[in-house]
Amino acid sequence: MLRDSRPFIAKRLHYAMQAWYADHFLRPQFALLGKNPWFMKPWHVEVFGGPVYLGDYAHVIAAPDKKVRLTVWSNMDGSGRIEIGNYCLLCPGVRISAGQEIVIGDSCMFANEAFVTDADWHGIYDRSLSVGQSAPVRLGNNVWIGDRAMVCKGVTIGDNSIVGAGSVVLKDVPANVIVGGNPAVVVKSLDPECSMRTRADWYADPQKLAVQFEAIDRELMKNNTWLGWLRAALLPRQGD
């Protein structure tokens, strides 16, 4: 649809249902799920194994054809874990798969179908091995992983750095740079004179932010009616 035809109250009820689902069905699957998470289509989020930690004010967007998958599959030694910091964004299709340990800092962003893994998932010479070689992955604060980029085992990425779309990161990335390519290399350094605004800054006053979003929804949906929504759903016409 070109526009949201729902009445304002219908959208708020949908938000409430998603929040209830996430709290009732997803929260028990996490070793820790922080306060005020925002899940969009949480029934398409899969948490397998553990422990998986997800910090405060997480924003997780899933879709039917692009599930978000957080998977721990260790070699039976109990070492596998995923830890994701506060204020992080996970877009549709993101996969984070740990055989040993993946630690992600605060305010990190993962674009569509980004993939982070700390293991090969099969032995090079013994293909029956379920995990294969693994090495911890660590992402600093405010890291941005681009669309369909891949971060491989043993990689550390420094604060504020950006991994370009489609890149494959095989080696450590310093702080405050942009990398791209396969294998990824530094293509640009960030300007130290430019101020950096993070998702943590954006969430500095979460109540004020929530009021702002509600006001936007009220304004955009003020003329929507239940009958209009039903008509648009059953008999859509140009402009819907």
Side-chain angles (χ1 to χ4, degrees), residues 38-215:
W38 185 11
F39 286 90
M40 297 180 69
K41 292 184 171 58
W43 36 88
H44 297 303
V45 176
E46 296 181 354
V47 181
F48 180 85
V52 177
Y53 303 84
L54 182 58
D56 298 338
Y57 298 101
H59 190 170
V60 182
I61 307 170
D65 59 334
K66 293 183 179 180
K67 296 180 184 293
V68 172
R69 292 183 169 94
L70 308 176
T71 304
V72 175
W73 190 294
S74 67
N75 276 322
M76 303 299 290
D77 59 2
S79 64
R81 65 192 292 266
I82 295 172
E83 181 178 331
I84 303 172
N86 301 323
Y87 312 108
C88 289
L89 168 66
L90 279 65
C91 289
V94 166
R95 293 181 296 144
I96 301 175
S97 303
Q100 189 174 139
E101 181 179 71
I102 296 175
V103 178
I104 296 166
D106 296 336
S107 300
C108 290
M109 302 191 302
F110 298 85
N112 287 280
E113 297 186 276
F115 180 36
V116 181
T117 179
D118 68 353
D120 289 337
W121 300 112
H122 287 287
I124 294 175
Y125 299 103
D126 182 356
R127 305 294 169 87
S128 68
L129 292 178
S130 59
V131 174
Q133 293 185 351
S134 61
V137 171
R138 289 180 170 80
L139 276 61
N141 296 323
N142 202 38
V143 171
W144 179 6
I145 307 299
D147 202 289
R148 295 191 176 184
M150 181 175 180
V151 179
C152 298
K153 68 177 187 293
V155 165
T156 295
I157 300 178
D159 294 349
N160 304 318
S161 287
I162 299 171
V163 176
S167 301
V168 178
V169 185
L170 301 176
K171 296 181 179 180
D172 291 353
V173 174
N176 300 301
V177 299
I178 300 174
V179 299
N182 180 7
V185 296
V186 175
V187 296
K188 184 178 180 179
S189 294
L190 300 181
D191 187 347
E193 300 299 322
C194 291
S195 61
M196 186 74 67
R197 186 166 186 249
T198 70
R199 290 180 62 83
D201 298 322
W202 191 47
Y203 276 103
D205 189 343
Q207 291 184 337
K208 180 180 178 181
L209 189 63
V211 169
Q212 290 174 344
F213 277 126
E214 183 174 336

